[in-house]
Amino acid sequence: MTNPPPANAVAESYEGQFGCTLMDLRKLMELRAAEAVAQISAHYGSVHELCARLKTSPIEGLSGNPADLEKRRHVFGKNVIPPKKPKTFLELVWEALQDVTLIILEIAAIISLVLSFYRPPGGDNEICGHIASNPEEEEEGETGWIEGAAILASVIIVVFVTAFNDWSKEKQFRGLQSRIELEQKFSIIRNGQLIQLPVAEIVVGDIAQVKYGDLLPADGVLLQGNDLKIDESSLTGESDHVKKSPEKDPMLLSGTHVMEGSGRMVVTAVGVNSQTGIIFTLLGVSEEEDDDKKKKAKTQDGVALEIQPLNSQEGIESEEKEKKVSRAPKKEKSVLQGKLTRLAVQIGKAGLIMSALTVIILILYFVVDNFVIQRRAWLPECTPVYIQYFVKFFIIGVTVLVVAVPEGLPLAVTISLAYSVKKMMKDNNLVRHLDACETMGNATAICSDKTGTLTMNRMTVVQAYIGDTHYRQVPEPDVLPPKTLELIVNGISINCAYTSKILPPEKEGGLPRQVGNKTECGLLGFVTDLNQDYQAVRNEVPEEKLFKVYTFNSVRKSMSTVIRKPEGGFRMYSKGASEIMLRKCDRILNKEGEIVPFKSKDRDNMVRNVIEPMASEGLRTIGIAYRDFDDTEPKWDNENEILTGLICIAVVGIEDPVRPEVPAAIAKCRRAGITVRMVTGDNVNTARAIATKCGILTPGDDFLCLEGKEFNRIIRNEKGQVEQEKLDKIWPRLRVLARSSPTDKHTLVKGIIDSTVGDQRQVVAVTGDGTNDGPALKKADVGFAMGIAGTDVAKEASDIILTDDNFTSIVKAVMWGRNVYDSISKFLQFQLTVNVVAVIVAFTGACITQDSPLKAVQMLWVNLIMDTFASLALATEPPTDSLLRRRPYGRDKPLISRTMMKNILGHAVYQLGMVFLLVFAGDKLFDIDSGRKAPLNSPPSQHYTIVFNTFVLMQLFNEINSRKIHGEKNVFAGIYRNAIFCSVVLGTFICQIMIVEVGGKPFSCTNLTMEQWMWCLFIGIGELLWGQIISAIPTKFLKFLKEAGRGSEISRGETEGMEEIDLAEMELRRGQILWVRGLNRIQTQIRVVKVFHGFREAIQKSRNLNSIHTFMTQPEYTADDELSQSFLDNQEENPASASKTGTSVLLLDGEAAPQDNTNNNAVDCHQVQIIASCSDGPLQSLETPV
């Protein structure tokens, strides 16, 4: 094979084959409106001539020949904007080295290393204090460098581990980005076929089909358009929509959004040559200038939260847009980030104080002991020895700080989020913004679309009203008058987007495939069911012959298409929401297909007898009508006059079945404390029927179903402004919002988020698929866009893309979000236990023995276990269904609950007890030499090796305890499902054996006997047994425990009586309930004789309420769940407040329920209901303190 010529030579030789050059096209695309039209006509003659020069057909498109496509890529470029160059591994290593504590350690280690090689001339060891003075003194003196070298080696390991984590994280994000880019496809005509082509494969000369909601992937010139309006604000900063037509303004630019209409364009510029690409280049996204941008994109923990989604979109911001973006308020920090930042600062301050105290005490102890008690003089030759001591003290202090500061937290968050994001992809959630994953765990409300999310989005016409007859099934074509049949077929075939089609099934016996708008596909299916061919009609009236198209939008709620009649004049076909269409009709076709008047009385009858019965069965009703213009041509821009005086042809009922898995998913949401609201454009009867089928509405509920108009009337004042107070009165009970516009959706979402009703701010998730859903998706805490039905604009505004458009995927996102939160809590519980123990051991050891029992290198190893391995093990726990059996934590719930604090302090007590026992009595217990007060550079002792080994093994077994944070007894539940956890624990254990047996001097370790190993293991395993004892103590008895890591928005009264999940208390309480119930029965029987007759009813009521059966058979909570079914509040602490507030039904976290409480929450029936039912009567005494 011969060598190919240089690329530019190839490009030049190819360029001659086309009738225009790359620069010609670039200059053309810089023109706008009339200038562009003049330039096209002057240089090319017409747009069709331009197509001829580019060797493409306006109707058939390119042939798709690979050689031709490659040629076009050579000449005009590829449709990709080169991505930013990733950081190299060495750059990441350099970044990791910038950590302040590591820099301090490096300096200290280097000083220690230098001093270990320095031998003072004639320095007398006896005069200078305790230095190794045994026969091996010289050999040991020569190995004094090992500690400094080991610290440096540890620092290098930590740096490389951090750099590797960052590198793999960046690799993951790039993989995610390329996945999102592959997801984006565009409608291209090739060889006469409309295909979905990945954006990167589009070339100059392609014919692209543009439609409502598209984000244009390349520059082009409009060939034919129907009512096309473009939002060019991303390029120009102008918010007004620009009308496009081949005659006035045919220029379509990449990165702009199609807000209305449809059309076809010929692609004229791609990639870096498109307007987006040119601006992208001007903005300096070449690799030399992107450093600042990268820094901007980083959050404090180094995670790039904004993942740019689309190749064609990466550079749409012009300089004006950049300014706008920088001025816009940032989305507030996610709940978890806020809590972690506060907690890290608190722990960091405490660690700094402890490390400073450790250094001061060590130095004072040394100075006082040497120069005051032993009255030594400071001799010049002893100075290096003393400095060596001081450096050793300083290293111990810095190591305490390293262990105390939880620098593993960002890593744990990153690993947990990255792991969750990867797994969520398999659950059909494509996460675009990382923090959305965690925010979803706190969601309290979901505002969901109906079509496609709750329903299958497979539309089928099942009923029809044609010529005064209501057909319960699709009628046979021969029963319809020929004229009516022809109008139905033409009205549907012509007045549907030509991109909507019905294709044969992929598999034999399968359902036909619906491509394009699903409602239109349902109508086209109706034509097919009538044994007619819609394609034949379209071939007769191709898209170019359509005279005028009024495309569907949220304001019109209808679509109309105007064609010229062969005999002269015009005919307009219309379709839309049945109530809206009927209001525009003044005539109707009867049984014979003749036109008869249609009065308001007839309209009311039709609504009552046809539309409402269809809607109550959950059918979407569509009206089909037409109008002839025979006399004079009207003013087509005057829509109000055009769309009146229509003739009604038919009303059809379209069924969109509820997805079979949705009712169960909504029941899970209810159980998890999440309110689901349906926001739909359908009429209220259809919406109510679907909501009932889904389980959003249940019989007997006191919930609201409103139409958009009614909703606006209630919440707005005379000036038309939304009043939050009015909105607050209805949103807690609102479950269905029908006939709603995107503005209504945004108003509802904003109102719920801004509301102060209830104890805490609502966290709202929203689903959307349309272009106009963008504002609501942006406003929501988490925006879900539909991956299949969603427009590019909706995807752009969203945080998560549902690749299967299914509501159950949202429930999975909730589960993953809660799992992230719990994973971080598990890691915190583990890390803080190690922090507390290591800091206290180092501090106490320094005060008492003038040395830390845990050496610097050993502490760095413990830190490595804590930070990297533990975060990997605990942050990758898979979620369980028990996560959906509790209420959302809320924005203000502390990261460290009282149960966790109990576990942290409880395990710290055990570990400190064991460590101090071994430090001060271990030498006697094991009959070995003491390691306390060992001279400088002395060899490692078995005594301190046992201390270190036991300490690490206790952490290892406590890691298993940390898998549960709500006091569950079985800490091994589901452990085999987490292979990462098992391998990390096993790997750490093997490394520990190697360190003790082979580590030697660098790790200050020496070999241990089998018996000593067994004792170390025994004490380590004791952690598991101790964990069982701790979990058996109910948290409510430990009043002194405080929470930590609270969020910023603490509202008044929210913390009162706030009791977190505590399963130990639950088990006690189950026994108590049975016991109390028996006792109360006896008391009640005694009192029934004594009390007034008037109280009999109350007593009977209290006995029923006290029934254990009532308590245990709550439908949502079964007694055998791993995460217990009722988290009971400690109302005994404050019975007075309970009696004042009436029936205080409690949430699972123990927080008072904000709104409705229709048997939805598990209740401590004994305490709450009795106090509430008769707070001042004799029954008060029935509350038996337990």
Side-chain angles (χ1 to χ4, degrees), residues 797-1097:
S798 69
D799 301 298
I800 297 175
I801 296 171
L802 293 178
T803 53
D804 64 345
D805 290 12
N806 194 335
F807 184 83
T808 48
S809 301
I810 301 174
V811 180
K812 286 174 184 167
V814 172
M815 198 155 79
W816 278 107
R818 292 185 175 190
N819 192 55
V820 167
Y821 202 98
D822 277 10
S823 294
I824 302 307
S825 293
K826 288 170 188 176
F827 174 71
L828 268 174
Q829 181 174 298
F830 173 73
Q831 193 185 38
L832 293 183
T833 308
V834 188
N835 280 11
V836 169
V837 176
V839 169
I840 292 175
V841 165
F843 179 70
T844 319
C847 295
I848 298 169
T849 65
Q850 204 191 346
D851 188 9
S852 170
L854 297 172
K855 301 294 179 283
V857 180
Q858 294 174 350
M859 280 206 187
L860 284 171
W861 164 238
V862 170
N863 204 40
L864 197 68
I865 295 174
M866 278 182 355
D867 285 355
T868 307
F869 300 149
S871 59
L872 189 64
L874 293 168
T876 54
E877 283 277 320
T880 60
D881 277 343
S882 61
L883 290 165
L884 294 175
R885 292 201 285 270
R886 64 162 173 79
R887 316 298 284 183
Y889 278 139
R891 304 184 77 83
D892 314 320
K893 173 89 165 80
L895 262 177
I896 301 170
S897 63
R898 286 174 64 202
T899 302
M900 286 170 64
M901 194 62 86
K902 172 185 77 175
N903 292 341
I904 291 167
L905 296 180
H907 287 292
V909 166
Y910 175 81
Q911 291 182 16
L912 285 170
M914 288 301 163
V915 168
F916 287 138
L917 177 71
L918 291 173
V919 168
F920 297 111
D923 49 336
K924 297 184 185 73
L925 291 172
F926 289 101
D927 194 21
I928 48 178
D929 294 334
S930 172
R932 292 190 303 280
K933 296 198 178 180
L936 198 67
N937 298 334
S938 60
S941 64
Q942 272 195 329
H943 180 197
Y944 271 16
T945 304
I946 290 172
V947 172
F948 165 61
N949 196 30
T950 306
F951 180 73
V952 170
L953 291 177
M954 285 194 294
Q955 306 319 321
L956 212 52
F957 286 102
N958 192 32
E959 201 168 324
I960 298 170
N961 278 328
S962 298
R963 293 184 66 247
K964 304 295 174 189
I965 52 173
H966 299 308
E968 295 95 327
K969 290 273 188 213
N970 185 4
V971 292
F972 291 99
I975 196 166
Y976 301 116
R977 289 198 303 130
N978 190 355
I980 297 174
F981 183 90
C982 297
S983 50
V984 164
V985 170
L986 199 64
T988 311
F989 184 57
I990 292 165
C991 287
Q992 180 62 19
I993 294 171
M994 300 294 288
I995 285 168
V996 170
E997 295 301 317
V998 186
K1001 179 78 175 163
F1003 281 94
S1004 305
C1005 288
T1006 186
N1007 297 358
L1008 297 180
T1009 65
M1010 182 55 76
E1011 186 189 354
Q1012 288 165 346
W1013 263 105
M1014 285 299 113
W1015 275 108
C1016 294
L1017 260 176
F1018 176 72
I1019 295 169
I1021 293 168
E1023 264 288 2
L1024 295 174
L1025 302 172
W1026 186 253
Q1028 294 298 306
I1029 295 167
I1030 292 171
S1031 66
I1033 305 168
T1035 310
K1036 65 168 188 170
F1037 295 148
L1038 308 172
K1039 303 273 194 296
F1040 58 88
L1041 290 178
K1042 295 283 179 266
E1043 299 153 330
R1046 191 178 283 285
S1048 53
E1049 308 170 14
I1050 303 173
S1051 41
R1052 182 178 54 79
E1054 185 162 340
T1055 55
E1056 290 173 17
M1058 187 192 217
E1059 193 75 35
E1060 77 287 330
I1061 301 166
D1062 180 11
L1063 295 192
E1065 184 178 346
M1066 295 337 318
E1067 291 189 16
L1068 270 183
R1069 190 65 65 108
R1070 284 186 199 173
Q1072 288 170 0
I1073 289 163
L1074 286 166
W1075 179 72
V1076 171
R1077 179 181 163 220
L1079 183 65
N1080 278 346
R1081 278 214 169 142
I1082 296 164
Q1083 287 183 331
T1084 308
Q1085 285 163 2
I1086 294 167
R1087 282 189 173 78
V1088 85
V1089 181
K1090 298 178 181 176
V1091 294
F1092 300 112
H1093 287 285
F1095 282 111
R1096 280 187 186 168
E1097 248 177 81

Side-chain angles (χ1 to χ4, degrees), residues 135-161:
E136 298 140 12
E137 176 194 328
E138 295 220 354
E139 184 196 332
E140 290 299 338
E142 284 165 16
T143 57
W145 61 272
I146 287 178
E147 185 173 36
I151 291 172
L152 275 181
S154 302
V155 166
I156 289 165
I157 290 169
V158 170
V159 164
F160 272 94
V161 167

Side-chain angles (χ1 to χ4, degrees), residues 160-233:
F160 272 94
V161 167
T162 309
F164 178 76
N165 280 320
D166 285 346
W167 177 79
S168 58
K169 186 172 68 186
E170 193 154 320
K171 191 180 166 192
Q172 268 186 336
F173 290 153
R174 288 194 173 270
L176 178 62
Q177 190 171 338
S178 62
R179 162 87 191 259
I180 294 170
E181 284 163 6
L182 287 172
E183 289 281 318
Q184 204 215 2
K185 296 186 175 179
F186 207 78
S187 301
I188 300 291
I189 298 168
R190 282 204 182 157
N191 220 2
Q193 296 293 315
L194 185 69
I195 57 168
Q196 294 294 311
L197 198 69
V199 163
E201 291 180 28
I202 294 172
V203 294
V204 168
D206 262 324
I207 305 297
Q209 187 92 38
V210 297
K211 62 185 182 305
Y212 160 82
D214 282 343
L215 184 144
L216 298 183
D219 292 355
V221 180
L222 189 64
L223 290 164
Q224 173 264 327
N226 303 319
D227 201 18
L228 195 63
K229 288 181 186 170
I230 306 283
D231 175 8
E232 293 187 346
S233 60

